Amino acid sequence: MQASRTASRTPSRVATRVATRVVAATAVAGVAVLALSAPAFAHVSVQPEGAAAKGGYAVVDFKVPNERDDAATTKLEVNLPADHPLASVMPQPVPGWSVKVTRSKLAKPLTMHGEKIDEAVTKVTWTADGKGIEPGYFQKFPLSLGALPEDTDKLVFKALQTYSDKEVVRWIEVQQEGQEEPENPAPVLELSAATDDHHGAADDASDKTEGKTDGKTDGKADATTGKTAAAADTKGGSDTTARVLGVVGIVIGVAGVAYGVLAGRRRTA
């Protein structure tokens, strides 16, 4: 009788130990997945609205997330690539932000539409008129760029993000081929193959850009701070969904193994 009771308790104890190990393993796996994926959406990045073809024009968005819990982003400085100067750079007004375009003399003049250009935009600075980008939000800063160079596959922009507590995060590290992503990578714009109709791209970019701002004028937009929830970003939402499904898959897989082990032990008992 006593032996029978002991035998009946053994599978229960085994099941408890297995369940405990499953929970621990699942927690570790979940934390690992989130830890590895978290930095992916904390960087200042740049993406084109449509195509960014070599030799053409494009509207690009600099996406700036707030990665602090106790401070707002109040300033963004984007330095344009000096090795591939752009003759035309026009910012789109952003509600709640003032913009300043800085021009500099070129060591080697550019030729655009038959005209020689001896200066180009080297930096664009956005400064918040109000609270800026608060914790848990991001903001997009659009620029119309052109003509894009034809002798490179990408453009590297170095950005400085300033917080309300005066902290400055320098997104200036260039990704080296074959190496891991740096801690503070610079935004990189990938260029697609050249198209036959460069003027069509330029017209499209101009249509998407609201207003023109020269290098000596600060364009002040509406004082309302543009707050956009990070969950509204389609790409970010897709990445988050993929990570959640991955963690759920791990949990289901481990639970299935534990159930099989438990069932086998019960049959043996």
Side-chain angles (χ1 to χ4, degrees), residues 54-55 83-85 108 147-155 191 194:
K54 298 178 182 179
D83 54 344
H84 293 96
K108 184 179 180 180
L148 299 175
E150 300 185 58
D151 57 349
T152 184
D153 294 326
K154 61 185 178 181
L155 291 176
L191 303 181

Side-chain angles (χ1 to χ4, degrees), residues 125-209:
T125 305
W126 289 270
T127 305
D129 294 328
K131 294 181 179 179
I133 308 171
E134 297 186 82
Y137 292 84
F138 74 87
Q139 179 68 58
K140 290 183 179 180
F141 299 89
L143 282 181
S144 174
L145 306 176
L148 299 175
E150 300 185 58
D151 57 349
T152 184
D153 294 326
K154 61 185 178 181
L155 291 176
V156 178
F157 300 85
K158 296 185 178 182
L160 276 64
Q161 181 180 9
T162 302
Y163 286 89
S164 55
D165 59 3
K166 307 305 180 183
E167 178 187 5
V168 178
V169 180
R170 302 171 63 84
W171 303 99
I172 62 173
E173 297 177 309
V174 180
Q175 173 73 55
Q176 301 299 325
E177 187 175 354
Q179 297 184 12
E180 294 183 357
E181 183 182 57
E183 183 178 355
N184 295 315
V188 177
L189 176 66
E190 301 290 343
L191 303 181
S192 59
T195 60
D196 294 333
D197 186 9
H198 292 167
H199 293 288
D203 293 339
D204 182 63
S206 298
D207 290 341
K208 292 181 180 180
T209 304

Side-chain angles (χ1 to χ4, degrees), residues 13-74:
R13 293 176 180 175
V14 171
T16 300
R17 288 198 296 270
V18 170
T20 301
R21 291 173 182 174
V22 167
V23 172
T26 302
V28 171
V31 171
V33 170
L34 294 177
L36 290 174
S37 60
F41 48 83
H43 301 163
V44 172
S45 59
V46 58
Q47 290 293 332
E49 296 182 6
K54 298 178 182 179
Y57 289 72
V59 173
V60 302
D61 295 324
F62 287 89
K63 179 183 173 184
V64 182
N66 188 334
E67 57 179 6
R68 298 288 183 268
D69 297 327
D70 55 356
T73 295
T74 57

